[in-house]
Amino acid sequence: MTEERKIFFGIPSYHRAAEQSTLEMLEGFGIEPARILLGVQCADDLETYKKYGGRAIILYRPGASKSANANQMLDYIEQLHYGSRLVLMDDDIKGICFLSSGKKLSRIETRQEFLSMLNVGFSIAGKHKAAGFGLYPVCNGFFMSRSYVPKSICIGTLLGLTVTRQRFREDFPVKEDYEYTASAMERYGAFPRLNNFSCDAKHYTKGGCDDLWQDNHTNKDCARRLCELHPRTVKPNKAKPGEVRMAHESRAIPYRWKYERKDKQ
């Protein structure tokens, strides 16, 4: 398989059969249906998601968490193509933004730009012997920068993963992305975050993990357990109860992306 063909795209989804913005985005980039995995976990979703059967591979395994849904995709790819790459994505991504001129944001528009971003992420991960990478958590040009950090817990809106035997912990109903990336850092020594890219997604909308995120007890409990499991990697965020941050911040390393050519003065 060529490097491009070794990349699969996984969309764990729950009760959102009416709208699949991430799938539409991937189709707009010309990603072939055979490389897109759409994962569901309940019989109702299996029935209602059948309409996407010609546009993606529908995976079904009973479960009750985003972690379990993501794990069925990792298991599927490992059985077929161990060492391949899975770009794990939330099902509500409208687009991917990047820093263009100054602090202005532009949106990735072409297949070439999209695949270039992924290649940059996997190349930087390979440089640091890491098994994946993530993106900046919010589309805000004021805080974003043309840099990456070698070690960071990353939000799971988009994670580029090399398929290994590592899996998401299914006892984390939320913050499973932070647990996975913290574990990956401890196992491989790094997990880079690209600071010049971020997903424009409809966070906290009906479906998915929204109810659990609104459950303050669950959120705080997972944050506490994260700090207990990974005390050298994460610590409580005193400014935001129920959240965590890196125990030791990683120094940002500047770099430029070749498609930074929009909105030039």
Side-chain angles (χ1 to χ4, degrees):
M1 299 175 72
T2 65
E3 286 302 307
E4 182 178 325
R5 291 285 178 180
K6 288 174 67 176
I7 300 178
F8 294 84
F9 302 86
I11 308 173
S13 193
Y14 178 71
H15 286 3
R16 283 189 175 135
E19 183 179 4
Q20 284 292 315
S21 55
T22 302
L23 177 60
E24 292 173 1
M25 181 186 73
L26 291 174
E27 290 175 329
F29 292 145
I31 304 301
E32 300 83 353
R35 294 167 60 194
I36 302 174
L37 310 178
L38 187 56
V40 299
Q41 296 182 287
C42 63
D44 289 345
D45 279 351
L46 179 61
E47 183 63 30
T48 57
Y49 280 65
K50 283 182 178 178
K51 64 183 180 180
Y52 296 111
R55 300 164 62 184
I57 297 172
I58 309 298
L59 297 183
Y60 168 70
R61 188 163 74 190
S65 68
K66 183 180 177 182
S67 295
N69 205 340
N71 285 342
Q72 73 164 323
M73 298 179 184
L74 290 167
D75 290 345
Y76 175 84
I77 297 175
E78 183 183 5
Q79 291 173 6
L80 298 177
H81 309 288
Y82 182 78
S84 294
R85 293 160 172 175
L86 173 65
V87 180
L88 192 63
M89 313 172 76
D90 282 358
D91 61 4
D92 56 0
I93 298 174
K94 296 183 292 182
I96 300 174
C97 300
F98 66 93
L99 276 178
S100 55
S101 175
K103 285 292 188 178
K104 292 182 180 180
L105 292 178
S106 294
R107 185 169 289 197
I108 288 178
E109 296 178 346
T110 68
R111 177 189 180 97
Q112 290 75 19
E113 291 174 345
F114 180 57
L115 294 178
S116 174
M117 180 202 73
L118 297 178
N119 287 334
V120 167
F122 282 118
S123 294
I124 289 174
K127 177 180 179 181
H128 293 276
K129 296 181 172 55
F133 71 94
L135 306 184
Y136 198 77
V138 292
C139 284
N140 188 321
F142 181 79
F143 295 106
M144 295 166 68
S145 63
R146 293 172 180 83
S147 67
Y148 73 89
V149 289
K151 299 180 181 181
S152 179
I153 50 174
C154 293
I155 190 170
T157 310
L158 186 153
L159 294 173
L161 305 176
T162 297
V163 178
T164 65
R165 290 183 173 82
Q166 183 181 351
R167 296 294 183 266
F168 288 85
R169 285 188 59 138
E170 297 182 17
D171 58 344
F172 272 78
V174 296
K175 290 184 168 53
E176 77 293 332
D177 44 6
Y178 283 0
E179 199 289 320
Y180 185 97
T181 53
S183 293
M185 273 185 278
E186 293 171 2
R187 182 175 300 191
Y188 299 103
F191 198 94
R193 185 189 70 199
L194 309 184
N195 292 330
N196 56 330
F197 295 98
S198 186
C199 292
D200 182 9
K202 302 175 184 177
H203 295 301
Y204 311 119
T205 54
K206 187 175 181 180
C209 295
D210 185 47
D211 291 340
L212 289 171
W213 272 105
Q214 299 296 338
D215 177 0
N216 200 35
H217 172 76
T218 301
N219 208 28
K220 287 183 176 180
D221 182 63
C222 287
R224 175 188 59 79
R225 291 169 55 216
L226 259 178
C227 294
E228 291 176 353
L229 282 168
H230 307 288
R232 294 180 298 175
T233 303
V234 298
K235 65 181 180 180
N237 188 333
K238 295 181 179 179
K240 297 179 180 179
E243 295 298 328
V244 299
R245 58 182 298 175
M246 290 290 292
H248 305 283
E249 296 294 339
S250 184
R251 182 179 64 86
I253 299 175
Y255 84 99
R256 301 300 293 253
W257 185 47
K258 67 178 181 179
Y259 287 107
E260 290 175 21
R261 82 270 188 274
K262 298 181 180 180
D263 300 328
K264 289 185 177 179
Q265 301 295 322

PDB file of all heavy atoms in Angstrom, residues 10-11 20-27 89-94:
ATOM      1  N   GLY A  10     -11.776   7.362  10.543  1.00  0.00           N
ATOM      2  CA  GLY A  10     -12.784   6.773  11.415  1.00  0.00           C
ATOM      3  C   GLY A  10     -13.682   7.831  12.040  1.00  0.00           C
ATOM      4  O   GLY A  10     -13.193   8.827  12.576  1.00  0.00           O
ATOM      5  N   ILE A  11     -14.994   7.596  11.985  1.00  0.00           N
ATOM      6  CA  ILE A  11     -15.972   8.532  12.546  1.00  0.00           C
ATOM      7  C   ILE A  11     -16.857   7.770  13.541  1.00  0.00           C
ATOM      8  O   ILE A  11     -17.840   7.133  13.145  1.00  0.00           O
ATOM      9  CB  ILE A  11     -16.852   9.155  11.448  1.00  0.00           C
ATOM     10  CG1 ILE A  11     -15.988   9.748  10.328  1.00  0.00           C
ATOM     11  CG2 ILE A  11     -17.771  10.229  12.045  1.00  0.00           C
ATOM     12  CD1 ILE A  11     -16.802  10.221   9.120  1.00  0.00           C
ATOM     13  N   GLN A  20     -24.302  14.234   8.986  1.00  0.00           N
ATOM     14  CA  GLN A  20     -22.941  13.728   9.110  1.00  0.00           C
ATOM     15  C   GLN A  20     -21.992  14.697   8.418  1.00  0.00           C
ATOM     16  O   GLN A  20     -21.524  14.484   7.293  1.00  0.00           O
ATOM     17  CB  GLN A  20     -22.836  12.330   8.503  1.00  0.00           C
ATOM     18  CG  GLN A  20     -23.426  11.227   9.358  1.00  0.00           C
ATOM     19  CD  GLN A  20     -22.632  10.997  10.628  1.00  0.00           C
ATOM     20  OE1 GLN A  20     -21.407  10.932  10.605  1.00  0.00           O
ATOM     21  NE2 GLN A  20     -23.317  10.844  11.743  1.00  0.00           N
ATOM     22  N   SER A  21     -21.683  15.806   9.103  1.00  0.00           N
ATOM     23  CA  SER A  21     -20.876  16.855   8.478  1.00  0.00           C
ATOM     24  C   SER A  21     -19.440  16.409   8.220  1.00  0.00           C
ATOM     25  O   SER A  21     -18.827  16.818   7.234  1.00  0.00           O
ATOM     26  CB  SER A  21     -20.909  18.130   9.327  1.00  0.00           C
ATOM     27  OG  SER A  21     -20.515  17.865  10.658  1.00  0.00           O
ATOM     28  N   THR A  22     -18.876  15.576   9.092  1.00  0.00           N
ATOM     29  CA  THR A  22     -17.506  15.100   8.860  1.00  0.00           C
ATOM     30  C   THR A  22     -17.446  14.239   7.611  1.00  0.00           C
ATOM     31  O   THR A  22     -16.529  14.371   6.794  1.00  0.00           O
ATOM     32  CB  THR A  22     -16.992  14.314  10.076  1.00  0.00           C
ATOM     33  OG1 THR A  22     -17.037  15.142  11.230  1.00  0.00           O
ATOM     34  CG2 THR A  22     -15.559  13.839   9.854  1.00  0.00           C
ATOM     35  N   LEU A  23     -18.411  13.354   7.447  1.00  0.00           N
ATOM     36  CA  LEU A  23     -18.466  12.518   6.246  1.00  0.00           C
ATOM     37  C   LEU A  23     -18.574  13.382   4.996  1.00  0.00           C
ATOM     38  O   LEU A  23     -17.886  13.133   3.995  1.00  0.00           O
ATOM     39  CB  LEU A  23     -19.653  11.563   6.343  1.00  0.00           C
ATOM     40  CG  LEU A  23     -19.906  10.666   5.131  1.00  0.00           C
ATOM     41  CD1 LEU A  23     -18.711   9.770   4.854  1.00  0.00           C
ATOM     42  CD2 LEU A  23     -21.174   9.834   5.343  1.00  0.00           C
ATOM     43  N   GLU A  24     -19.406  14.405   5.058  1.00  0.00           N
ATOM     44  CA  GLU A  24     -19.550  15.298   3.906  1.00  0.00           C
ATOM     45  C   GLU A  24     -18.239  16.030   3.608  1.00  0.00           C
ATOM     46  O   GLU A  24     -17.884  16.221   2.436  1.00  0.00           O
ATOM     47  CB  GLU A  24     -20.672  16.298   4.173  1.00  0.00           C
ATOM     48  CG  GLU A  24     -22.050  15.644   4.228  1.00  0.00           C
ATOM     49  CD  GLU A  24     -23.136  16.607   4.657  1.00  0.00           C
ATOM     50  OE1 GLU A  24     -22.818  17.797   4.890  1.00  0.00           O
ATOM     51  OE2 GLU A  24     -24.299  16.183   4.773  1.00  0.00           O
ATOM     52  N   MET A  25     -17.532  16.425   4.658  1.00  0.00           N
ATOM     53  CA  MET A  25     -16.243  17.082   4.460  1.00  0.00           C
ATOM     54  C   MET A  25     -15.254  16.145   3.777  1.00  0.00           C
ATOM     55  O   MET A  25     -14.561  16.532   2.822  1.00  0.00           O
ATOM     56  CB  MET A  25     -15.681  17.567   5.796  1.00  0.00           C
ATOM     57  CG  MET A  25     -14.343  18.296   5.681  1.00  0.00           C
ATOM     58  SD  MET A  25     -13.602  18.725   7.286  1.00  0.00           S
ATOM     59  CE  MET A  25     -13.061  17.080   7.829  1.00  0.00           C
ATOM     60  N   LEU A  26     -15.172  14.899   4.248  1.00  0.00           N
ATOM     61  CA  LEU A  26     -14.255  13.932   3.649  1.00  0.00           C
ATOM     62  C   LEU A  26     -14.613  13.673   2.185  1.00  0.00           C
ATOM     63  O   LEU A  26     -13.730  13.564   1.324  1.00  0.00           O
ATOM     64  CB  LEU A  26     -14.276  12.626   4.442  1.00  0.00           C
ATOM     65  CG  LEU A  26     -13.679  12.682   5.850  1.00  0.00           C
ATOM     66  CD1 LEU A  26     -13.895  11.361   6.575  1.00  0.00           C
ATOM     67  CD2 LEU A  26     -12.196  13.028   5.815  1.00  0.00           C
ATOM     68  N   GLU A  27     -15.893  13.578   1.911  1.00  0.00           N
ATOM     69  CA  GLU A  27     -16.321  13.387   0.522  1.00  0.00           C
ATOM     70  C   GLU A  27     -15.912  14.585  -0.335  1.00  0.00           C
ATOM     71  O   GLU A  27     -15.519  14.425  -1.497  1.00  0.00           O
ATOM     72  CB  GLU A  27     -17.839  13.189   0.469  1.00  0.00           C
ATOM     73  CG  GLU A  27     -18.286  11.853   1.053  1.00  0.00           C
ATOM     74  CD  GLU A  27     -19.793  11.716   1.120  1.00  0.00           C
ATOM     75  OE1 GLU A  27     -20.485  12.752   1.295  1.00  0.00           O
ATOM     76  OE2 GLU A  27     -20.287  10.583   1.007  1.00  0.00           O
ATOM     77  N   MET A  89     -11.983  10.991  13.945  1.00  0.00           N
ATOM     78  CA  MET A  89     -12.610  12.306  13.859  1.00  0.00           C
ATOM     79  C   MET A  89     -14.003  12.292  14.473  1.00  0.00           C
ATOM     80  O   MET A  89     -14.761  11.324  14.307  1.00  0.00           O
ATOM     81  CB  MET A  89     -12.717  12.736  12.387  1.00  0.00           C
ATOM     82  CG  MET A  89     -11.441  12.526  11.586  1.00  0.00           C
ATOM     83  SD  MET A  89     -11.635  12.814   9.802  1.00  0.00           S
ATOM     84  CE  MET A  89     -11.668  14.601   9.766  1.00  0.00           C
ATOM     85  N   ASP A  90     -14.351  13.370  15.185  1.00  0.00           N
ATOM     86  CA  ASP A  90     -15.729  13.542  15.628  1.00  0.00           C
ATOM     87  C   ASP A  90     -16.638  13.617  14.408  1.00  0.00           C
ATOM     88  O   ASP A  90     -16.204  13.979  13.304  1.00  0.00           O
ATOM     89  CB  ASP A  90     -15.871  14.814  16.460  1.00  0.00           C
ATOM     90  CG  ASP A  90     -15.359  14.649  17.884  1.00  0.00           C
ATOM     91  OD1 ASP A  90     -14.933  13.527  18.231  1.00  0.00           O
ATOM     92  OD2 ASP A  90     -15.363  15.642  18.634  1.00  0.00           O
ATOM     93  N   ASP A  91     -17.922  13.323  14.621  1.00  0.00           N
ATOM     94  CA  ASP A  91     -18.843  13.290  13.480  1.00  0.00           C
ATOM     95  C   ASP A  91     -19.443  14.649  13.132  1.00  0.00           C
ATOM     96  O   ASP A  91     -20.282  14.744  12.230  1.00  0.00           O
ATOM     97  CB  ASP A  91     -19.966  12.275  13.730  1.00  0.00           C
ATOM     98  CG  ASP A  91     -20.822  12.607  14.950  1.00  0.00           C
ATOM     99  OD1 ASP A  91     -20.605  13.663  15.573  1.00  0.00           O
ATOM    100  OD2 ASP A  91     -21.711  11.797  15.283  1.00  0.00           O
ATOM    101  N   ASP A  92     -19.023  15.717  13.834  1.00  0.00           N
ATOM    102  CA  ASP A  92     -19.646  17.024  13.645  1.00  0.00           C
ATOM    103  C   ASP A  92     -18.663  18.101  13.188  1.00  0.00           C
ATOM    104  O   ASP A  92     -18.831  19.276  13.495  1.00  0.00           O
ATOM    105  CB  ASP A  92     -20.330  17.466  14.938  1.00  0.00           C
ATOM    106  CG  ASP A  92     -19.379  17.481  16.135  1.00  0.00           C
ATOM    107  OD1 ASP A  92     -18.193  17.149  15.957  1.00  0.00           O
ATOM    108  OD2 ASP A  92     -19.827  17.820  17.237  1.00  0.00           O
ATOM    109  N   ILE A  93     -17.634  17.709  12.441  1.00  0.00           N
ATOM    110  CA  ILE A  93     -16.627  18.667  11.975  1.00  0.00           C
ATOM    111  C   ILE A  93     -17.120  19.344  10.694  1.00  0.00           C
ATOM    112  O   ILE A  93     -17.452  18.668   9.711  1.00  0.00           O
ATOM    113  CB  ILE A  93     -15.277  17.977  11.718  1.00  0.00           C
ATOM    114  CG1 ILE A  93     -14.737  17.359  13.024  1.00  0.00           C
ATOM    115  CG2 ILE A  93     -14.261  18.963  11.156  1.00  0.00           C
ATOM    116  CD1 ILE A  93     -13.484  16.524  12.832  1.00  0.00           C
ATOM    117  N   LYS A  94     -17.160  20.666  10.717  1.00  0.00           N
ATOM    118  CA  LYS A  94     -17.599  21.429   9.546  1.00  0.00           C
ATOM    119  C   LYS A  94     -16.436  21.779   8.630  1.00  0.00           C
ATOM    120  O   LYS A  94     -16.626  21.995   7.437  1.00  0.00           O
ATOM    121  CB  LYS A  94     -18.302  22.704   9.996  1.00  0.00           C
ATOM    122  CG  LYS A  94     -19.581  22.464  10.773  1.00  0.00           C
ATOM    123  CD  LYS A  94     -20.268  23.764  11.135  1.00  0.00           C
ATOM    124  CE  LYS A  94     -19.455  24.571  12.150  1.00  0.00           C
ATOM    125  NZ  LYS A  94     -20.139  25.836  12.545  1.00  0.00           N
TER     126      LYS A  94
END
